[in-house]
Amino acid sequence: MVSMPDPVELFFAGERHVLRCLNLDDTDRLIAFFNSHNEETVRLRYGYFFKEMTVARARELVGVDQCRDLALALFSFGAEGEPVIDAIGRYFLLPSGRSAEMAFIVRETKRRLGMAQTLLRALAATARVRGLTKLVAQVQRENRGMIALFRKEGATVKSNLGADAVDISLPLKPVRKRSHA
Ligand SMILES: CC(C)(COP(=O)(O)OP(=O)(O)OC[C@H]1O[C@@H](n2cnc3c(N)ncnc32)[C@H](O)[C@@H]1OP(=O)(O)O)[C@@H](O)C(=O)NCCC(=O)NCCS
């Protein structure tokens, strides 16, 4: 059976949030989240700026095969109790099947509360259980916040001469199998 993270309740700045997998019901929420981003946020996350998150693209982003890839979000709750996306962390499996590429995005008003770190740890925990050996990312050299977080979590950072992006590699310790003496 493929390991899947259970929904979990967490508090950031004293406010209740829920961490869970995204699904197709979150399509409109993802579009609303995208519409809250400024240009720099879009560029840092996607590598270039674009104005509109179409329904088709949003469906792809929330409707990933969660048994293979993983797309997690942190939700807060609006006045009527409706879920609002505040942060997303995801990885998609690379062709080797042993490593995956990750990406993060956090609402501008909710930065430095530990959301990306929480998502990174949740992604890494599931990836380990699924037998992946590392998580990788390409991050723009100027993205000091993201690079600082990866370093803090034990990743190596490799810069390539002349390139705008650095290569991140986070090794995952294999999950110990129980021995039956
Ligand atoms: C980068 C990003 C995901 C960080 O999200 P976040 O939730 O604010 O990060 P966290 O609160 O989990 O940060 C954890 C630690 O990482 C480091 N860090 C995070 N952002 C930082 C920043 N702007 N400057 C310096 N260090 C930073 C700090 O060590 C921080 O711990 P501290 O706040 O106790 O000092 C967020 O700024 C973002 O969405 N940026 C735009 C999109 C993007 O760059 N995506 C990355 C593409 S892979």
Side-chain angles (χ1 to χ4, degrees):
M1 240 211 7
V2 179
S3 158
M4 200 71 78
D6 290 325
V8 48
E9 188 179 70
L10 296 166
F11 287 80
F12 293 93
E15 191 187 352
R16 180 178 161 260
H17 290 72
V18 167
L19 188 159
R20 65 161 171 81
C21 291
L22 286 166
N23 63 54
L24 283 173
D25 289 344
D26 296 314
T27 305
D28 289 346
R29 293 173 194 133
L30 185 105
I31 293 171
F33 182 46
F34 179 86
N35 289 338
S36 79
H37 303 331
N38 63 31
E39 283 197 27
E40 190 192 28
T41 295
V42 174
R43 202 172 42 74
L44 289 174
R45 161 61 182 89
Y46 295 95
Y48 61 97
F49 176 66
F50 57 101
K51 270 202 171 129
E52 190 194 357
M53 173 62 68
T54 61
V55 172
R57 187 164 189 182
R59 283 177 66 84
E60 274 176 26
L61 285 167
V62 297
V64 299
D65 175 358
Q66 299 276 11
C67 294
R68 176 190 160 82
D69 303 327
L70 194 57
L72 302 177
L74 279 163
F75 294 85
S76 56
F77 297 90
E80 311 286 318
E82 71 283 9
V84 175
I85 297 177
D86 282 332
I88 295 176
R90 62 173 65 244
Y91 73 61
F92 64 88
L93 206 60
L94 291 169
S96 71
R98 300 303 305 279
S99 60
E101 182 161 342
M102 54 187 164
F104 299 88
I105 186 161
V106 175
R107 185 179 287 278
E108 285 129 22
T109 52
K110 298 241 175 155
R111 302 251 168 105
R112 301 304 285 267
L113 299 177
M115 290 190 171
Q117 186 177 53
T118 299
L119 289 164
L120 172 55
R121 290 180 179 179
L123 290 177
T126 298
R128 276 183 71 206
V129 176
R130 291 183 183 179
L132 303 197
T133 57
K134 64 177 174 180
L135 291 175
V136 301
Q138 279 223 323
V139 181
Q140 292 173 42
R141 194 183 286 277
E142 74 200 62
N143 196 344
R144 293 176 57 200
M146 191 73 255
I147 294 171
L149 171 54
F150 281 138
R151 277 195 210 279
K152 204 171 179 177
E153 294 300 303
T156 58
V157 179
K158 191 170 150 238
S159 354
N160 301 304
L161 203 66
D164 289 340
V166 296
D167 291 323
I168 306 291
S169 180
L170 178 71
L172 302 172
K173 287 201 192 100
V175 175
R176 285 228 193 108
K177 296 223 168 66
R178 284 212 191 141
S179 62
H180 300 281

